Amino acid sequence: MKTEVIEAFAKAYGDSAGVRTFFAPGRVNLIGEHTDYNGGHVFPCALTIGTYAAVRLRDDNICRFYSKNFPEIGVIREGGFANYPLGVVKMLKDAGYNIDKGFDVAYYGDIPYASGLSSSASVEVLTGYFLKELFGLDIENTEIALIGQKCENEFIGVNCGIMDQFIIANGKKDYATFLDTSTLEFSYVPIKLDGMKLIIACTNKKRGLKDSKYNERRAECEQAVKDIGNISFLGELTTEEFEDIKDKINNEVNKKRARHAVYENARTIKACDALKNNDIETFGKLMNESHISLRDDYEVTGIELDTLVSTAWEQEGVIGSRMTGAGFGGCTVSIVKDNYIDDFIFVVGKKYKEKIGYPADFYIVEIGDGPCEI
Ligand code: GLA
Protein backbone atom coordinates (compact mmCIF):
# COMPACT_ATOMS: atom_id res chain seq x y z
CA MET A 1 0.00 0.00 0.00
CA LYS A 2 2.90 2.34 0.75
CA THR A 3 4.39 1.86 -2.73
CA GLU A 4 0.97 2.27 -4.31
CA VAL A 5 0.19 5.53 -2.56
CA ILE A 6 3.62 6.94 -3.50
CA GLU A 7 3.01 5.90 -7.12
CA ALA A 8 -0.41 7.53 -6.98
CA PHE A 9 1.25 10.71 -5.72
CA ALA A 10 3.77 10.69 -8.57
CA LYS A 11 1.00 10.11 -11.10
CA ALA A 12 -1.04 12.99 -9.73
CA TYR A 13 1.72 15.53 -9.17
CA GLY A 14 4.50 14.57 -11.60
CA ASP A 15 7.10 13.10 -9.21
CA SER A 16 7.35 11.87 -5.64
CA ALA A 17 10.62 13.43 -4.49
CA GLY A 18 10.58 14.21 -0.79
CA VAL A 19 7.15 12.74 0.04
CA ARG A 20 6.41 11.36 3.49
CA THR A 21 3.90 8.57 3.99
CA PHE A 22 1.40 8.03 6.81
CA PHE A 23 -1.33 5.58 7.83
CA ALA A 24 -4.49 5.76 9.94
CA PRO A 25 -6.78 2.78 10.60
CA GLY A 26 -10.49 2.16 10.10
CA ARG A 27 -12.52 0.95 13.06
CA VAL A 28 -15.10 -1.58 14.13
CA ASN A 29 -17.30 -1.06 17.15
CA LEU A 30 -17.88 -4.26 19.13
CA ILE A 31 -20.77 -2.87 21.18
CA GLY A 32 -22.11 0.50 22.37
CA GLU A 33 -23.91 1.85 19.32
CA HIS A 34 -25.47 5.31 19.18
CA THR A 35 -24.34 5.84 22.75
CA ASP A 36 -21.44 8.21 22.05
CA TYR A 37 -23.50 11.36 21.44
CA ASN A 38 -25.63 10.33 24.44
CA GLY A 39 -22.72 10.54 26.89
CA GLY A 40 -22.52 6.75 27.21
CA HIS A 41 -19.85 4.10 26.72
CA VAL A 42 -18.50 2.57 23.53
CA PHE A 43 -16.20 -0.41 22.95
CA PRO A 44 -14.50 -0.14 19.54
CA CYS A 45 -11.18 -1.36 18.09
CA ALA A 46 -8.94 0.06 15.37
CA LEU A 47 -8.37 -2.23 12.38
CA THR A 48 -5.25 -3.06 10.41
CA ILE A 49 -7.05 -1.85 7.27
CA GLY A 50 -7.24 1.91 6.85
CA THR A 51 -6.09 4.88 4.79
CA TYR A 52 -2.61 5.76 3.53
CA ALA A 53 -1.36 9.20 2.52
CA ALA A 54 1.71 10.40 0.62
CA VAL A 55 2.19 14.09 1.26
CA ARG A 56 4.62 16.90 0.44
CA LEU A 57 4.66 20.50 1.59
CA ARG A 58 4.48 23.31 -0.95
CA ASP A 59 6.09 26.74 -0.89
CA ASP A 60 2.76 28.54 -1.29
CA ASN A 61 -0.60 28.23 0.51
CA ILE A 62 -2.32 25.95 -1.99
CA CYS A 63 -3.63 22.53 -0.87
CA ARG A 64 -4.28 19.89 -3.50
CA PHE A 65 -5.95 16.52 -2.98
CA TYR A 66 -5.95 13.28 -4.96
CA SER A 67 -7.43 9.89 -4.08
CA LYS A 68 -6.43 6.65 -5.77
CA ASN A 69 -9.87 5.38 -4.70
CA PHE A 70 -11.51 7.99 -6.97
CA PRO A 71 -8.99 8.39 -9.83
CA GLU A 72 -11.72 9.70 -12.16
CA ILE A 73 -12.05 12.82 -9.98
CA GLY A 74 -8.38 13.75 -10.48
CA VAL A 75 -6.55 16.40 -8.44
CA ILE A 76 -8.97 18.76 -6.70
CA ARG A 77 -8.80 21.72 -4.31
CA GLU A 78 -12.22 21.37 -2.68
CA GLY A 79 -15.53 19.47 -2.75
CA GLY A 80 -16.21 15.72 -2.54
CA PHE A 81 -13.65 13.73 -0.54
CA ALA A 82 -11.38 16.83 -0.35
CA ASN A 83 -13.79 18.42 2.11
CA TYR A 84 -12.68 16.02 4.86
CA PRO A 85 -9.01 17.09 4.85
CA LEU A 86 -9.96 20.67 4.02
CA GLY A 87 -12.25 20.77 7.05
CA VAL A 88 -9.45 19.41 9.25
CA VAL A 89 -7.06 22.13 8.02
CA LYS A 90 -9.70 24.77 8.75
CA MET A 91 -10.48 23.41 12.26
CA LEU A 92 -6.78 23.20 13.13
CA LYS A 93 -6.21 26.79 11.97
CA ASP A 94 -9.33 27.98 13.85
CA ALA A 95 -7.94 26.31 16.99
CA GLY A 96 -4.78 28.40 16.61
CA TYR A 97 -2.39 25.82 15.14
CA ASN A 98 0.15 27.30 12.78
CA ILE A 99 -0.26 25.80 9.31
CA ASP A 100 1.48 28.38 7.15
CA LYS A 101 2.05 26.41 3.96
CA GLY A 102 0.00 24.37 1.55
CA PHE A 103 0.62 20.73 0.59
CA ASP A 104 -0.03 18.14 -2.09
CA VAL A 105 -1.46 14.84 -0.90
CA ALA A 106 -2.51 11.51 -2.38
CA TYR A 107 -4.75 9.15 -0.37
CA TYR A 108 -5.33 5.44 -0.84
CA GLY A 109 -7.52 3.36 1.43
CA ASP A 110 -8.42 -0.31 1.77
CA ILE A 111 -11.50 0.29 3.93
CA PRO A 112 -14.57 -0.49 1.84
CA TYR A 113 -15.98 2.94 0.98
CA ALA A 114 -19.20 4.08 2.75
CA SER A 115 -19.36 0.75 4.56
CA GLY A 116 -19.62 1.96 8.14
CA LEU A 117 -16.00 1.20 9.02
CA SER A 118 -15.24 4.91 9.26
CA SER A 119 -13.37 5.67 6.08
CA SER A 120 -14.15 9.38 6.57
CA ALA A 121 -12.95 9.53 10.20
CA SER A 122 -9.83 7.66 9.05
CA VAL A 123 -9.08 10.40 6.49
CA GLU A 124 -9.74 13.11 9.08
CA VAL A 125 -7.42 11.64 11.71
CA LEU A 126 -4.81 10.77 9.10
CA THR A 127 -4.80 14.38 7.88
CA GLY A 128 -4.61 15.79 11.41
CA TYR A 129 -1.77 13.40 12.17
CA PHE A 130 0.35 14.18 9.12
CA LEU A 131 -0.16 17.91 9.63
CA LYS A 132 1.04 17.49 13.22
CA GLU A 133 4.18 15.73 11.93
CA LEU A 134 4.85 18.05 8.98
CA PHE A 135 4.34 21.28 10.92
CA GLY A 136 5.64 20.03 14.27
CA LEU A 137 2.32 20.87 15.94
CA ASP A 138 2.09 20.39 19.68
CA ILE A 139 -1.13 18.36 19.63
CA GLU A 140 -2.15 15.10 21.31
CA ASN A 141 -3.93 12.35 19.39
CA THR A 142 -7.15 12.89 21.37
CA GLU A 143 -7.13 16.54 20.34
CA ILE A 144 -6.69 15.44 16.71
CA ALA A 145 -9.76 13.25 17.20
CA LEU A 146 -11.77 16.21 18.53
CA ILE A 147 -10.65 18.31 15.54
CA GLY A 148 -11.83 15.51 13.22
CA GLN A 149 -15.21 15.37 14.95
CA LYS A 150 -15.55 19.17 14.70
CA CYS A 151 -14.80 18.94 10.97
CA GLU A 152 -17.50 16.29 10.60
CA ASN A 153 -20.05 18.30 12.65
CA GLU A 154 -19.39 21.79 11.33
CA PHE A 155 -17.85 21.33 7.88
CA ILE A 156 -19.46 18.12 6.59
CA GLY A 157 -22.78 18.43 8.44
CA VAL A 158 -22.94 15.05 10.22
CA ASN A 159 -23.68 15.48 13.91
CA CYS A 160 -21.55 12.46 14.87
CA GLY A 161 -20.18 11.65 18.31
CA ILE A 162 -16.51 11.17 19.17
CA MET A 163 -16.22 7.37 18.93
CA ASP A 164 -14.81 6.96 15.43
CA GLN A 165 -12.18 9.66 15.50
CA PHE A 166 -11.20 8.76 19.06
CA ILE A 167 -10.55 5.07 18.41
CA ILE A 168 -8.77 5.78 15.13
CA ALA A 169 -6.49 8.26 16.91
CA ASN A 170 -5.90 6.05 19.98
CA GLY A 171 -6.28 2.45 18.79
CA LYS A 172 -3.98 -0.28 20.11
CA LYS A 173 -3.07 -3.57 18.44
CA ASP A 174 -4.99 -6.55 19.90
CA TYR A 175 -6.96 -4.36 22.33
CA ALA A 176 -10.47 -2.95 22.33
CA THR A 177 -10.93 0.49 23.87
CA PHE A 178 -13.56 1.02 26.55
CA LEU A 179 -14.36 4.72 26.33
CA ASP A 180 -16.62 6.84 28.49
CA THR A 181 -17.70 9.48 25.99
CA SER A 182 -18.85 11.88 28.74
CA THR A 183 -15.33 12.25 30.16
CA LEU A 184 -13.11 10.75 27.41
CA GLU A 185 -11.58 8.48 30.06
CA PHE A 186 -10.65 5.18 28.51
CA SER A 187 -8.97 1.85 29.16
CA TYR A 188 -7.59 -0.84 26.89
CA VAL A 189 -9.01 -4.37 27.20
CA PRO A 190 -7.15 -7.25 25.53
CA ILE A 191 -9.12 -9.19 22.95
CA LYS A 192 -8.16 -12.82 23.39
CA LEU A 193 -10.24 -14.70 20.89
CA ASP A 194 -8.79 -18.18 21.27
CA GLY A 195 -9.95 -20.24 18.33
CA MET A 196 -12.30 -17.52 17.06
CA LYS A 197 -12.13 -14.55 14.73
CA LEU A 198 -13.88 -11.25 14.19
CA ILE A 199 -15.67 -11.32 10.86
CA ILE A 200 -17.04 -8.20 9.24
CA ALA A 201 -19.76 -8.59 6.66
CA CYS A 202 -20.46 -5.61 4.44
CA THR A 203 -24.00 -5.20 3.07
CA ASN A 204 -22.68 -3.25 0.07
CA LYS A 205 -25.65 -0.96 0.50
CA LYS A 206 -24.12 2.44 -0.03
CA ARG A 207 -25.16 5.23 2.21
CA GLY A 208 -23.84 8.57 3.37
CA LEU A 209 -24.67 9.60 6.93
CA LYS A 210 -25.52 13.12 5.83
CA ASP A 211 -28.55 11.82 3.94
CA SER A 212 -29.45 9.18 6.53
CA LYS A 213 -31.60 9.50 9.62
CA TYR A 214 -28.49 9.81 11.79
CA ASN A 215 -29.05 13.49 12.67
CA GLU A 216 -32.75 12.74 13.25
CA ARG A 217 -31.90 10.04 15.82
CA ARG A 218 -29.63 12.42 17.63
CA ALA A 219 -32.36 15.08 17.74
CA GLU A 220 -34.87 12.51 19.08
CA CYS A 221 -32.51 11.65 21.96
CA GLU A 222 -31.95 15.34 22.70
CA GLN A 223 -35.71 15.87 22.86
CA ALA A 224 -36.02 12.94 25.31
CA VAL A 225 -33.36 14.58 27.52
CA LYS A 226 -35.34 17.85 27.46
CA ASP A 227 -38.55 16.04 28.40
CA ILE A 228 -36.88 14.25 31.31
CA GLY A 229 -35.61 17.56 32.58
CA ASN A 230 -32.80 17.27 35.11
CA ILE A 231 -30.16 15.42 33.09
CA SER A 232 -27.71 16.47 30.38
CA PHE A 233 -27.33 13.08 28.67
CA LEU A 234 -29.25 9.80 28.55
CA GLY A 235 -25.98 8.06 29.39
CA GLU A 236 -26.28 9.36 32.95
CA LEU A 237 -29.24 7.06 33.63
CA THR A 238 -29.13 3.47 34.85
CA THR A 239 -31.82 1.21 33.41
CA GLU A 240 -33.70 1.34 36.76
CA GLU A 241 -33.64 5.15 36.81
CA PHE A 242 -34.86 5.18 33.23
CA GLU A 243 -37.80 2.89 34.02
CA ASP A 244 -38.82 5.25 36.85
CA ILE A 245 -38.85 8.43 34.78
CA LYS A 246 -39.46 7.24 31.22
CA ASP A 247 -43.07 8.45 31.17
CA LYS A 248 -41.83 12.02 31.27
CA ILE A 249 -40.85 11.51 27.62
CA ASN A 250 -43.82 12.89 25.70
CA ASN A 251 -43.64 10.85 22.58
CA GLU A 252 -43.58 7.06 22.22
CA VAL A 253 -41.00 7.09 19.42
CA ASN A 254 -38.56 9.18 21.43
CA LYS A 255 -39.15 6.89 24.42
CA LYS A 256 -37.99 3.92 22.34
CA ARG A 257 -34.92 5.82 21.15
CA ALA A 258 -34.05 6.76 24.72
CA ARG A 259 -34.61 3.19 25.92
CA HIS A 260 -32.08 1.98 23.39
CA ALA A 261 -29.52 4.59 24.46
CA VAL A 262 -29.86 3.73 28.16
CA TYR A 263 -29.95 -0.08 27.82
CA GLU A 264 -27.18 -0.12 25.21
CA ASN A 265 -24.96 1.82 27.57
CA ALA A 266 -25.66 -0.71 30.35
CA ARG A 267 -24.97 -3.59 27.93
CA THR A 268 -21.66 -2.05 26.91
CA ILE A 269 -20.47 -1.85 30.51
CA LYS A 270 -21.53 -5.48 31.07
CA ALA A 271 -19.89 -6.60 27.82
CA CYS A 272 -16.59 -5.01 28.78
CA ASP A 273 -16.70 -6.84 32.13
CA ALA A 274 -17.56 -10.10 30.39
CA LEU A 275 -14.56 -9.75 28.09
CA LYS A 276 -12.27 -8.96 31.01
CA ASN A 277 -13.51 -12.18 32.65
CA ASN A 278 -12.94 -14.11 29.44
CA ASP A 279 -16.68 -14.82 29.27
CA ILE A 280 -17.03 -14.64 25.53
CA GLU A 281 -20.43 -16.39 25.54
CA THR A 282 -21.97 -13.56 27.58
CA PHE A 283 -20.22 -11.05 25.35
CA GLY A 284 -21.82 -12.68 22.29
CA LYS A 285 -25.30 -12.65 23.85
CA LEU A 286 -24.96 -8.94 24.61
CA MET A 287 -23.93 -8.34 20.98
CA ASN A 288 -27.14 -10.08 19.85
CA GLU A 289 -29.27 -8.05 22.27
CA SER A 290 -27.62 -4.89 21.00
CA HIS A 291 -28.72 -5.71 17.47
CA ILE A 292 -32.31 -6.39 18.54
CA SER A 293 -32.46 -3.04 20.31
CA LEU A 294 -30.98 -1.23 17.30
CA ARG A 295 -33.53 -2.99 15.11
CA ASP A 296 -36.67 -2.56 17.22
CA ASP A 297 -36.13 0.51 19.40
CA TYR A 298 -33.63 2.60 17.49
CA GLU A 299 -34.74 1.46 14.01
CA VAL A 300 -31.44 1.90 12.23
CA THR A 301 -30.94 -1.57 10.76
CA GLY A 302 -32.97 -2.29 7.62
CA ILE A 303 -33.45 -5.50 5.66
CA GLU A 304 -29.81 -5.80 4.56
CA LEU A 305 -28.27 -5.71 8.05
CA ASP A 306 -31.12 -7.76 9.53
CA THR A 307 -30.68 -10.47 6.90
CA LEU A 308 -26.94 -10.75 7.57
CA VAL A 309 -27.44 -10.87 11.34
CA SER A 310 -30.45 -13.20 11.51
CA THR A 311 -28.74 -15.62 9.12
CA ALA A 312 -25.56 -15.42 11.20
CA TRP A 313 -27.52 -16.26 14.37
CA GLU A 314 -28.73 -19.50 12.70
CA GLN A 315 -25.19 -20.71 11.98
CA GLU A 316 -23.22 -23.06 14.17
CA GLY A 317 -20.06 -21.64 15.70
CA VAL A 318 -21.36 -18.06 15.91
CA ILE A 319 -20.78 -16.51 19.34
CA GLY A 320 -22.54 -13.24 18.54
CA SER A 321 -23.48 -11.02 15.61
CA ARG A 322 -24.73 -7.46 15.29
CA MET A 323 -24.71 -4.40 13.07
CA THR A 324 -21.77 -2.07 13.74
CA GLY A 325 -21.46 1.67 13.21
CA ALA A 326 -24.32 3.99 12.38
CA GLY A 327 -26.49 1.41 10.60
CA PHE A 328 -28.76 2.15 7.61
CA GLY A 329 -26.57 -0.24 5.58
CA GLY A 330 -22.87 -0.63 6.27
CA CYS A 331 -21.50 -3.67 8.09
CA THR A 332 -22.11 -6.33 10.70
CA VAL A 333 -19.54 -7.73 13.10
CA SER A 334 -19.63 -11.36 14.21
CA ILE A 335 -17.46 -13.53 16.42
CA VAL A 336 -17.12 -16.93 14.77
CA LYS A 337 -15.25 -20.07 15.80
CA ASP A 338 -12.34 -20.83 13.46
CA ASN A 339 -13.70 -24.18 12.27
CA TYR A 340 -16.98 -22.66 11.16
CA ILE A 341 -15.72 -19.58 9.33
CA ASP A 342 -15.75 -21.05 5.82
CA ASP A 343 -19.31 -22.34 6.25
CA PHE A 344 -20.36 -19.05 7.82
CA ILE A 345 -19.13 -17.02 4.88
CA PHE A 346 -20.58 -19.44 2.36
CA VAL A 347 -24.05 -19.82 3.88
CA VAL A 348 -24.59 -16.24 5.07
CA GLY A 349 -23.27 -14.96 1.73
CA LYS A 350 -25.56 -17.28 -0.25
CA LYS A 351 -28.71 -16.47 1.73
CA TYR A 352 -27.95 -12.74 1.61
CA LYS A 353 -27.57 -12.76 -2.17
CA GLU A 354 -30.78 -14.80 -2.57
CA LYS A 355 -32.79 -12.36 -0.48
CA ILE A 356 -31.19 -9.00 -1.31
CA GLY A 357 -30.19 -9.60 -4.92
CA TYR A 358 -26.53 -8.58 -4.71
CA PRO A 359 -23.62 -10.06 -2.76
CA ALA A 360 -22.19 -9.14 0.63
CA ASP A 361 -18.42 -9.00 1.22
CA PHE A 362 -16.71 -10.70 4.15
CA TYR A 363 -13.49 -9.69 5.89
CA ILE A 364 -11.61 -11.54 8.60
CA VAL A 365 -10.17 -8.57 10.44
CA GLU A 366 -7.29 -7.92 12.78
CA ILE A 367 -7.10 -5.29 15.47
CA GLY A 368 -4.40 -2.74 14.81
CA ASP A 369 -2.76 0.44 16.11
CA GLY A 370 -3.62 4.13 15.71
CA PRO A 371 -1.96 6.49 13.19
CA CYS A 372 1.75 6.40 12.33
CA GLU A 373 4.33 7.49 9.79
CA ILE A 374 5.38 4.57 7.61
C1 GLA B 1 -21.24 6.76 13.41
C2 GLA B 1 -20.79 8.01 14.15
C3 GLA B 1 -20.35 7.68 15.58
C4 GLA B 1 -21.40 6.85 16.31
C5 GLA B 1 -21.87 5.68 15.45
C6 GLA B 1 -23.03 4.94 16.06
O1 GLA B 1 -20.18 5.89 13.21
O2 GLA B 1 -19.72 8.62 13.47
O3 GLA B 1 -20.07 8.87 16.28
O4 GLA B 1 -22.48 7.65 16.72
O5 GLA B 1 -22.26 6.10 14.16
O6 GLA B 1 -22.64 4.32 17.23
Side-chain angles (χ1 to χ4, degrees):
M1 292 295 283
K2 179 175 174 177
T3 318
E4 282 153 309
V5 77
I6 293 174
E7 278 169 13
F9 185 99
K11 193 170 158 230
Y13 303 109
D15 71 276
S16 60
V19 295
R20 289 170 69 177
T21 49
F22 298 86
F23 168 79
R27 70 96 185 89
V28 62
N29 189 21
L30 299 179
I31 192 161
E33 220 64 84
H34 291 276
T35 47
D36 64 346
Y37 51 83
N38 284 310
H41 293 78
V42 292
F43 201 32
C45 331
L47 298 172
T48 51
I49 55 174
T51 319
Y52 295 75
V55 56
R56 182 169 67 192
L57 287 181
R58 298 172 55 93
D59 293 328
D60 54 23
N61 277 312
I62 293 171
C63 296
R64 298 192 297 176
F65 307 96
Y66 175 80
S67 169
K68 187 173 155 66
N69 295 89
F70 309 107
E72 66 289 354
I73 297 177
V75 175
I76 53 175
R77 308 244 321 245
E78 60 183 6
F81 75 87
N83 279 349
Y84 294 93
L86 213 52
V88 169
V89 172
K90 179 178 180 331
M91 296 308 153
L92 279 170
K93 284 184 174 170
D94 287 356
Y97 291 101
N98 188 19
I99 298 174
D100 53 3
K101 275 187 188 148
F103 55 88
D104 289 334
V105 59
Y107 294 100
Y108 187 33
D110 54 4
I111 307 172
Y113 168 66
S115 64
L117 302 179
S118 284
S119 51
S120 59
S122 179
V123 168
E124 288 156 6
V125 171
L126 175 62
T127 305
Y129 188 81
F130 74 60
L131 292 173
K132 163 191 163 144
E133 295 297 313
L134 293 178
F135 291 96
L137 307 179
D138 182 13
I139 183 170
E140 299 285 333
N141 278 12
T142 296
E143 185 64 24
I144 293 177
L146 288 163
I147 292 278
Q149 183 197 16
K150 204 157 190 263
C151 158
E152 193 84 42
N153 293 168
E154 294 175 18
F155 204 77
I156 306 295
V158 176
N159 240 337
C160 68
I162 189 60
M163 170 170 74
D164 302 349
Q165 290 81 3
F166 188 95
I167 182 60
I168 288 167
N170 292 305
K172 184 167 152 102
K173 187 173 161 34
D174 296 331
Y175 287 79
T177 302
F178 183 62
L179 169 68
D180 179 345
T181 62
S182 68
T183 59
L184 296 190
E185 274 171 31
F186 69 102
S187 57
Y188 291 120
V189 182
I191 301 269
K192 291 179 282 196
L193 293 178
D194 293 333
M196 298 163 225
K197 299 254 173 344
L198 281 179
I199 314 274
I200 287 177
C202 181
T203 59
N204 285 324
K205 179 188 182 190
K206 297 291 177 230
R207 58 110 179 90
L209 288 190
K210 198 165 189 297
D211 315 314
S212 77
K213 294 198 180 295
Y214 185 90
N215 289 349
E216 186 180 300
R217 290 291 175 277
R218 185 166 181 162
E220 287 163 344
C221 289
E222 282 165 1
Q223 187 55 50
V225 166
K226 279 196 193 129
D227 290 352
I228 292 171
N230 55 350
I231 56 166
S232 309
F233 289 107
L234 293 166
E236 292 165 28
L237 300 174
T238 62
T239 53
E240 294 77 17
E241 285 164 348
F242 174 75
E243 292 302 330
D244 283 347
I245 47 94
K246 67 180 182 202
D247 289 330
K248 288 189 180 173
I249 303 171
N250 292 321
N251 146 332
E252 287 309 308
V253 170
N254 292 354
K255 202 182 284 178
K256 288 205 301 184
R257 308 299 189 236
R259 185 166 60 203
H260 166 77
V262 172
Y263 278 81
E264 179 76 353
N265 187 37
R267 264 191 296 274
T268 306
I269 297 167
K270 272 193 214 154
C272 177
D273 287 340
L275 201 68
K276 282 183 186 159
N277 296 330
N278 239 331
D279 181 358
I280 197 79
E281 296 291 334
T282 300
F283 191 86
K285 284 199 186 92
L286 290 162
M287 287 174 78
N288 299 347
E289 286 172 19
S290 164
H291 186 84
I292 292 168
S293 176
L294 288 155
R295 184 190 67 194
D296 298 344
D297 276 351
Y298 221 63
E299 295 181 280
V300 291
T301 56
I303 184 160
E304 297 84 3
L305 288 166
D306 287 337
T307 300
L308 284 178
V309 167
S310 58
T311 316
W313 287 341
E314 290 162 10
Q315 304 313 304
E316 244 184 288
V318 175
I319 304 291
S321 183
R322 58 182 289 275
M323 59 151 271
T324 182
F328 314 104
C331 290
T332 68
V333 57
S334 309
I335 300 178
V336 185
K337 290 186 183 161
D338 285 343
N339 292 343
Y340 295 91
I341 292 176
D342 289 348
D343 283 355
F344 173 86
I345 293 176
F346 178 76
V347 178
V348 177
K350 184 165 173 284
K351 292 199 172 166
Y352 182 82
K353 177 138 194 262
E354 274 164 16
K355 183 141 180 195
I356 304 298
Y358 53 82
D361 285 322
F362 294 84
Y363 305 86
I364 301 175
V365 291
E366 283 170 44
I367 300 174
D369 283 316
C372 58
E373 182 159 7
I374 46 172

